[in-house]
Amino acid sequence: MKVATAPGLKHVEITSDFWQRYRELVVKEVLPYQWAVMNDQADIKIADDPQNGGQDTNSHAIENLRIAAGQSKGHHYGFPFQDTDVYKWLEAAAYSFSYHADSDLKKITDSLVDLIGDAQESDGYLSTYFQIDAPERKFKRLQQSHELYTMGHYIEAGIAYYEQTGNDKALQIAIRMADCIDASFGLTSGKIPGYDGHPEIEMALSRLYEVTHEQRYLDLAHYFLTQRGQDPAFFDKQNAEDGEERDIIAHMREFPRSYYQAAEPIKDQQLADGHAVRVVYLCTGMAYVARFTGDQELLDACERFWNDIVKRRMYVTGNIGSTTTGESFTYDYDLPNDTMYGETCASVGMAFFARQMLSLKAKGAYADVLEKELFNGAISGMSLDGKHFFYVNPLEADPQASAKNPGKAHVLTHRADWFGCACCPANLARLITSVDQYLYTVQDQQILSHQFIANKASFDHNVTLTQTNNFPWDGDIHYSIENPDRYPFKLGIRIPNWSANFELTINGQKTEKTVQDGFIYLEIEEATTSIDLALDMSTKFLRSNNRVSADYGKVAVQRGPIVYAAEAADNDAPLWLNKIETTKQPTYQFEPDLLNGVGTVTLTADRPLLDPTEAPLYTLLEQSSTDQKTAVKLIPYYAWANRADGQMMVWLHQKN
């Protein structure tokens, strides 16, 4: 049978209990809380964190826009990219309207769009720091200014708001911004032959091209990618001309060119080096542009960066960024657990990257990473009450170490009210409210169903696909496909890398299917089709590549997509004394009254008595105390630090 073109996706309704709770939490708690914070109306304490940068009083983000619009007087407060907190919040709110209508919130967001429009200059420029305090320095210190990054975030928000509400003004603001950038950057006479120190605009322009079909925007996105690193000294030249010591953000000149992915052209870059968020935003832009242009050098770079990150530089939870110095990658297999960074924004960015890679190629490995981010690395950045946040997501933490070791001061063991650099809270909110856009990838000949988040999806040609499950706690996945017009198409269903064994039943008949690059494929042509997929949800012990010194001799625990952690709230401290018996089968239990309902895992371990404080600091091995049997209880990593402050560990010592 010749399969017709796959029907286009029209709408996805999330029905998953797990994700419905998060999405409603964003509407009821997260968005109102963040709006109050950005208006300086919330009683908050800015996190005492080395990344604070001295911005320790309030947000002032909305007031900055009012000053730029001429509605207030004063100076700019915060980082030069402070506007982006507002834009990401607006984008999150826009997506929320697709599943939760809220007329009061709509009035706020409409007024916010009006305010942004009033703050925008006649030529389309909008970055409040430069408009208020440094108009003579526009586009003159791109290494640090975040101007294109900032406008890129509005372009994404404006598109989302236009698509969800039909507000044309929101789109026109974005178009004027893009036109301003297009008029200012390029290789023709009078234009700036450069790019932003923080990639983002490439994603935004690609999205604008999708909406407007204006080729100039795709060409501009492609230019920013291909121009990057062509003149490695570009930032240095701008800094010298602007005034070497006139930094906009302190110490930014001290980082190497690779920190900005600007040491050489992208086609020559071999490793995922530098600031982790910059890297994955750049990669997302590359994949986006490559999909439309077919640029093979960008495609090759996407694969190189993906492989380096996923195979050598990514934590078991999906977090990336090994050091607090510059929030950066370091080198292959350097994955310390107690001094790592693992910024929430970086996990969100990896989800963006994985989604775009799936649009390029039907490869289950991309969807495996997307799932890892959604259920572990990203949502760990927000507390279960929606009002406290992690910027840094460690895999091992100790309150005493964070309080008394300056090298671990960036590792908070309780989520903070807010941050001086508050990029993460709204970034996570926009991912959660748009998660319905991450479940399916429609390619020319097939629909890929690659995330097991219960939903009801409608497609062209009257095709409806309903997925029901109790994931991530249960691995029984049911699909019901309604296809009254008998439109023929191919459906690909991912088999996760954590479920080598699975059972497939189609219309009541057990069926064998070969896994092809992470997917099984079914030809759908009947009016109704029933599919049942049983995944292997046994608890598994993981080891790291033995090139990772931090994890050698240790094990991590995973069940389904969930990575688990031990917390002092459930176990005697210090946690590092436990030596896990991997030959003993873990026990699993779902506890509905714990942490909003989670599955817990209990392990068998040996544990020595804790040496008395008067004991020698070092002693002979044969004088070690005798081990005793103990049980170690684990909770999902994403839910740690929601109870009493205490130690946490993901990687546990393995009994020899």
Side-chain angles (χ1 to χ4, degrees), residues 474-493:
D474 188 284
D476 292 332
I477 314 297
H478 176 73
Y479 291 89
S480 177
I481 301 174
E482 301 293 328
N483 184 19
D485 297 341
R486 294 179 180 268
Y487 186 83
F489 65 94
K490 182 185 288 187
L491 174 66
I493 301 175

Side-chain angles (χ1 to χ4, degrees), residues 6 53 73 141 143 167 202 284 298 447 533 537 609 617 624:
K73 295 186 181 298
R141 206 177 187 90
Q143 180 197 61
N167 186 314
E202 301 84 358
T284 304
L298 291 182
I447 296 172
L533 176 65
M537 294 293 286
L609 293 174
L617 186 57
S624 298

Side-chain angles (χ1 to χ4, degrees), residues 151-199:
M151 286 193 272
H153 270 301
Y154 175 78
I155 291 171
E156 290 202 81
I159 292 168
Y161 200 71
Y162 166 74
E163 290 180 331
Q164 297 298 330
T165 70
N167 186 314
D168 188 63
K169 183 174 185 177
L171 179 62
Q172 293 306 315
I173 294 169
I175 289 172
R176 287 196 297 273
M177 279 186 184
D179 289 345
C180 171
I181 297 167
D182 188 42
S184 302
F185 287 84
L187 298 178
T188 58
S189 177
K191 291 189 175 184
I192 303 167
Y195 39 86
D196 200 286
H198 196 312

Side-chain angles (χ1 to χ4, degrees), residues 99-114:
Y99 64 89
H100 187 119
D102 186 328
S103 59
D104 291 334
L105 179 60
K106 178 71 161 44
K107 291 176 184 176
I108 291 172
T109 53
D110 280 347
S111 295
L112 177 57
V113 169
D114 289 341

Side-chain angles (χ1 to χ4, degrees), residues 61 64-65 67-69 76 79-84 87 116 119-121 123-139 142 144-152 154 173 177 180-181 196 248:
N64 288 336
L65 285 165
I67 295 169
H76 183 276
F79 286 96
F81 49 83
Q82 205 85 342
D83 301 353
T84 64
Y87 301 155
I116 294 168
Q120 186 176 36
E121 296 186 351
D123 66 353
Y125 183 92
L126 177 51
S127 182
T128 61
Y129 169 76
F130 293 94
Q131 291 170 270
I132 297 169
D133 286 344
E136 77 286 356
R137 299 179 73 186
K138 294 176 184 175
F139 297 142
L142 290 161
Q144 305 170 19
S145 71
H146 290 74
E147 288 161 279
L148 304 185
Y149 168 87
T150 297
M151 286 193 272
Y154 175 78
I173 294 169
M177 279 186 184
C180 171
I181 297 167
D196 200 286
I248 296 170

